[in-house]
Structure formats: structure tokens, C-alpha cells
Amino acid sequence: MLNISTIIKYPWLMMLSTGKRSFENMGRLIKKSGDTVSRLLRSASISFHCSRDLCISMFQGKKKLFIIIDDTLIKKIYSQFMQGSGMFYDSKIGKRIMAFRLVIGMISDGKISIPIGCAYLFSAELTNQLETKFKTKEDISQYLVKISKKLFPEVKMIVLGDVLYATVKFLTWCKNNDIPAEVRMHSNRVVEFENEKISLKKLAFERVFL
């Protein structure tokens, strides 16, 4: 079992294992210790180098691709002493929790999605206490789009994101760089349409029923 490249042994174990994805639990699948499994984990730079090469191979010849940007919370409810953890709002349970927040970028043709980069997004409570300038969500999203455009310079790329990336700064950057973007927005968001300021809810109603 797992007579495959050492680079993909760890992700293969991740896909095959069930329950908690701890080193010890994944090790039980191949009757190895957690320490043995931990040594299979490669650095992010190696993993993303492989996934970007896979992207080029999988999507060659495509005329249109999507850049999907999303974030996820890795719950760490007892992590007050873990570096980088912070309080973030979890929309699923409707309250703030202690967690790591990871922003992920993927390239997709609408059927297959392959990750090409990620970065941590730190909480305001942490960044406000430090002089170091951390990357904002706009910085991270622009970075992920630039990687995608570098991989496929001649392909039409469309950015897909949720409400976190529906910011004036990021959308203006996309417009200035001629990159189409489709993002979710709250219905009470006010936009300027045909020289008139109007809420999205009212704009949608008028375009459908009037």
C-alpha cells in the first residue's frame, strides 16, 4: 500500500483516512507511528510547486478558467498560547471562536479544482498589538490572482469569491487589471448604477420586475 511518490504519500493518507486527521490516526491506516507520518509531510513550497505543475498539465488548452478564493477556520478553542491563533467569527454557529484563519486559492475549470496557494489571515486583536505589517485579505487575494495569471497568461481568468472579498479595494484592483470578478455581496450593500446610488436588493428587484 502507498507504493507511490513520497511527495504525495501524505495527501494520499489524508484522503484515505477517516475521522480526525491527526498523525497518529493516519498512521493507524498503514500501521505506522504518528512520528513516521509527520516525516511524510512536505513543506508548503514543495507541495504547491507540484500542484501548480499539475494545474498546467490538467488545464492546458482551456480557454477559460476560474480563480476561486475562499477562507476556512481551523478551530483551536484551547489555543490561547498558540502562535497566530485569534478570535474569528464563525458564520455556521453565529459567534466568534478561537481559531486559525486560512485563505486558500484554487484554479478550476468548473469540474476540477486544484489548490495553488494559501496564507494565514490574522485577527485584528493580534495585528493591532504588533508593529509588523501583516498581509491583508486584499494583499492575499491579489497574490493568489497573480500566481494564477502567471501560470496561465493567455487564458481568460474569472475570480470567484464570497462576501469577504467584496471590497472596494479588491474589486477596483481587479477592474484596473482587467480581471473579471464575481463575488457575493450583502443585499443591503449600496452601489452606484447608472449614476445613481442604490442598494443591491432594490436594484435586483427593479431589473427583474420593472
Side-chain angles (χ1 to χ4, degrees), residues 93-123:
I93 60 177
K95 65 179 182 179
R96 280 157 49 93
I97 61 169
M98 185 68 72
F100 291 113
R101 190 169 203 169
L102 189 67
V103 179
I104 304 166
M106 296 182 289
I107 293 180
S108 175
D109 63 351
K111 295 180 179 179
I112 300 172
S113 299
I114 300 176
I116 48 90
C118 68
Y120 283 108
L121 186 62
F122 298 105
S123 64

Side-chain angles (χ1 to χ4, degrees), residues 1-4 9 12-13 16-17 26 29-31:
M1 186 179 183
L2 290 180
N3 185 23
I4 53 180
K9 275 187 176 181
W12 191 250
L13 269 176
L16 290 178
S17 62
M26 289 191 290
L29 190 65
I30 55 174
K31 298 180 180 179

Side-chain angles (χ1 to χ4, degrees), residues 7 41-53 115-118 143 147:
I7 294 176
L41 180 59
R42 302 291 174 165
S43 69
S45 59
I46 294 176
S47 298
F48 282 128
H49 178 77
C50 292
S51 65
R52 291 167 191 172
D53 285 345
I116 48 90
C118 68
Y143 162 74
I147 291 176

Side-chain angles (χ1 to χ4, degrees), residues 153-186:
E154 304 301 324
V155 178
K156 180 181 179 181
M157 308 290 284
I158 301 175
V159 176
L160 304 180
D162 65 8
V163 69
L164 182 67
Y165 305 98
T167 65
V168 173
K169 183 177 179 180
F170 179 59
L171 294 178
T172 299
W173 180 84
C174 288
K175 180 180 179 181
N176 293 340
N177 287 274
D178 196 27
I179 300 171
E182 297 181 15
V183 297
R184 249 180 6 113
M185 289 186 180
H186 294 299

Side-chain angles (χ1 to χ4, degrees), residues 33-60:
S33 68
D35 288 338
T36 299
V37 174
S38 70
R39 289 192 290 271
L40 296 175
L41 180 59
R42 302 291 174 165
S43 69
S45 59
I46 294 176
S47 298
F48 282 128
H49 178 77
C50 292
S51 65
R52 291 167 191 172
D53 285 345
L54 180 61
C55 264
I56 295 173
S57 175
M58 289 290 294
F59 300 139
Q60 60 180 337

